[in-house]
């Protein structure tokens, strides 16, 4: 089968790889009909997140179950399914407490040996461990391009908001308007934010955030602290989502949050960074971090996608074939794309 593999920083390749085989009764094999290129794939592409040469990329997928182990009961061969970016066993301490994203046996698709040694979904076939929790049936009539977002990008935007315990009437500021940030804007609106500020430097992304009902702030032209303070009686935002994964963005988030506010650090970190802990402490901020509990949110996110209250379709900017994936990575790297969708 064909698969998109990591070769070296800045280089991915479409290669022939062996087809996956079931190794446990809880696994399934999915024929991938749609996959996505994600911001976290770019971290690998840049060499910031290390991965072995020749490893298959990709963790967002929609497809059809072609094989299922004897313990797979929630989906069956022939079902159209969507996948989560990570797997969960459902039995360990963390799964029993609902923290599926921290499952002791959790593995992330397409992130190499350090995150569970699980080959990615930018391929014709993908092996899915713990298929009962990792896969869900796609509701009838939901397009692939919508379903693709449930198990990663929209689930993550949703997580950034609900994990910060947003309550209706609060003010949210989202820093970084990549796909996750834009999904967080939508989730903030759906969860009842009175005001949503959206901060970035890319005009197209700011325009999209505005279309989703946010007040866009172009960092090139405006200091976000002024409008956020003006809207909150000088206090700052109740919730700030840091969807960049850069110390400057984190620092801005800490400054934009009100006293006793919440900072939701959903951007990816793989290295040591400096945080002004004195400011965090004196403001009594709560800092939430880590990748999203998409398995835990999945049913609600699918329901919101199905009802149309969350709608990621404006984020899909490019449709390419699997063979064109190297070009897709290059386009995304130049920030000319938001979501690149691949079809075998
Ligand atoms: Zn992703
Ligand atoms: Zn578990």
């Amino acid at each position: 089968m064909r698969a998109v593999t990591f070769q070296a920083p800045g280089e991915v390749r479409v290669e022939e790889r062996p087809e996956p085989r079931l190794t446990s009764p809880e696994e399934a094999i999915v024929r991938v009909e749609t996959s996505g290129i994600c911001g976290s794939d770019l971290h690998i592409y840049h060499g910031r997140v290390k991965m072995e040469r020749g490893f298959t990329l990709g963790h967002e997928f929609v497809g059809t179950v072609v094989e299922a182990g004897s313990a797979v009961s929630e989906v069956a061969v022939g079902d159209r399914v969507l996948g989560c970016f990570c797997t969960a066993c459902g039995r360990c301490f963390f799964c029993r407490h609902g923290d599926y994203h921290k499952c002791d046996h959790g593995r992330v698709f397409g992130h190499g040996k350090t995150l569970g040694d699980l080959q990615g979904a930018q391929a014709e076939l993908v092996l899915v461990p713990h298929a009962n929790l990792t896969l869900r049936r796609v509701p009838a009539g939901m397009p692939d391009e919508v379903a693709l977002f449930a198990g990663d990008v929209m689930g993550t935007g949703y997580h950034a908001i609900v994990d910060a315990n947003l309550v209706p009437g609060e003010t949210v500021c989202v820093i970084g308007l990549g796909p996750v940030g834009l999904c967080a804007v939508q989730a903030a609106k759906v969860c009842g934010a009175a005001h949503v500020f959206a901060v970035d430097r890319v005009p197209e992304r700011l325009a999209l955030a505005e279309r989703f009902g946010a007040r866009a702030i172009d960092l090139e032209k405006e200091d976000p602290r002024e409008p956020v303070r003006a809207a909150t009686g000088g206090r700052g935002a109740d919730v700030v989502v840091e969807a960049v994964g850069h110390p400057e963005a984190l620092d801005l988030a800490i400054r934009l949050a009100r006293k006793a506010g919440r900072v939701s650090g959903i951007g990816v970190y793989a290295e040591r960074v400096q945080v002004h802990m004195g400011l965090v402490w004196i403001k009594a901020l709560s800092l939430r971090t880590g990748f999203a509990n998409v398995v835990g949110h999945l049913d609600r996110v699918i329901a919101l996608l199905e009802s149309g209250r969350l709608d990621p379709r404006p984020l899909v900017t490019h449709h390419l074939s699997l063979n064109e994936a190297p070009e897709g990575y290059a386009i995304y790297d130049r920030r000319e794309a938001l979501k690149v969708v691949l079809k075998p």
Side-chain angles (χ1 to χ4, degrees):
M1 66 162 186
R2 283 170 301 129
V4 181
T5 61
F6 174 76
Q7 296 298 321
E11 191 194 348
V12 301
R13 193 181 291 167
V14 180
E15 296 189 297
E16 215 35 59
R17 304 293 297 165
E19 293 195 355
R21 288 165 179 272
L22 295 182
T23 62
S24 124
E26 294 181 64
E27 292 172 348
I29 293 172
V30 171
R31 187 177 64 236
V32 179
E33 276 132 26
T34 303
S35 62
I37 300 177
C38 178
S40 25
D41 296 326
L42 270 195
H43 293 309
I44 297 168
Y45 187 68
H46 291 153
R48 187 179 168 211
V49 171
K50 304 284 175 235
M51 192 161 91
E52 297 75 25
R53 185 186 181 98
F55 209 91
T56 301
L57 287 147
H59 54 271
E60 305 174 351
F61 61 99
V62 176
T64 300
V65 178
V66 291
E67 228 182 309
S70 57
V72 176
S73 54
E74 302 307 301
V75 297
V77 171
D79 281 350
R80 188 167 159 255
V81 293
L82 60 87
C84 293
F85 71 82
C86 63
T87 71
C89 76
R91 291 189 291 267
C92 72
F93 175 92
F94 297 97
C95 285
R96 289 200 311 273
H97 289 76
D99 293 322
Y100 299 102
H101 54 324
K102 293 290 104 190
C103 173
D104 274 334
H105 311 287
R107 302 163 76 187
V108 180
F109 290 95
H111 274 72
K113 292 222 164 81
T114 46
L115 286 180
D117 199 11
L118 183 58
Q119 297 291 333
Q122 288 164 14
E124 291 179 283
L125 294 166
V126 63
L127 177 73
V128 181
H130 300 296
N132 285 330
L133 274 173
T134 309
L135 297 175
R136 285 288 197 291
R137 283 197 198 92
V138 178
M142 183 183 285
D144 280 15
E145 287 75 9
V146 172
L148 188 65
F149 281 81
D152 185 26
V153 174
M154 188 59 88
T156 299
Y158 178 91
H159 176 91
I161 298 302
V162 299
D163 195 49
N165 300 319
L166 180 80
V167 291
E170 290 192 313
T171 291
V172 176
C173 184
V174 179
I175 301 171
L177 302 176
V180 166
L182 286 165
C183 286
V185 167
Q186 284 197 1
K189 297 296 282 186
V190 161
C191 292
H195 304 283
V196 180
F197 292 91
V199 181
D200 203 288
R201 290 191 161 91
V202 181
E204 295 77 24
R205 296 179 174 195
L206 290 162
L208 213 43
E210 229 157 37
R211 197 172 135 193
F212 297 160
R215 154 83 156 81
I217 300 175
D218 186 342
L219 267 180
E220 297 291 336
K221 298 179 183 156
E222 200 178 356
D223 180 350
R225 278 179 279 188
E226 299 306 318
V228 172
R229 280 193 190 133
T232 56
R235 292 187 300 273
D238 302 290
V239 170
V240 183
V241 175
E242 196 275 78
V244 181
H246 189 280
E248 274 175 32
L250 184 57
D251 188 70
L252 180 60
I254 288 165
R255 287 167 200 282
L256 287 172
R258 68 159 164 85
K259 288 185 284 185
R262 290 91 76 199
V263 171
S264 196
I266 203 72
V268 175
Y269 286 90
E271 61 285 283
R272 181 187 294 255
V273 302
Q274 278 199 333
V275 179
H276 192 332
M277 199 58 205
L279 202 51
V280 172
W281 194 87
I282 203 71
K283 290 176 82 169
L285 298 180
S286 300
L287 192 54
R288 304 289 299 181
T289 66
F291 60 63
N293 187 4
V294 291
V295 173
H297 304 312
L298 197 55
D299 294 323
R300 287 180 288 264
V301 170
I302 290 173
L304 286 165
L305 290 169
E306 197 180 8
S307 71
R309 296 199 66 203
L310 292 174
D311 183 5
R313 283 173 298 182
L315 304 184
V316 179
T317 52
H318 291 73
H319 288 87
L320 299 176
S321 71
L322 196 63
N323 288 342
E324 295 171 305
E327 189 192 333
Y329 274 82
I331 294 169
Y332 195 25
D333 187 32
R334 295 196 299 267
R335 295 190 181 199
E336 290 165 16
L338 273 170
K339 176 56 69 189
V340 179
V341 166
L342 303 173
K343 302 238 182 206

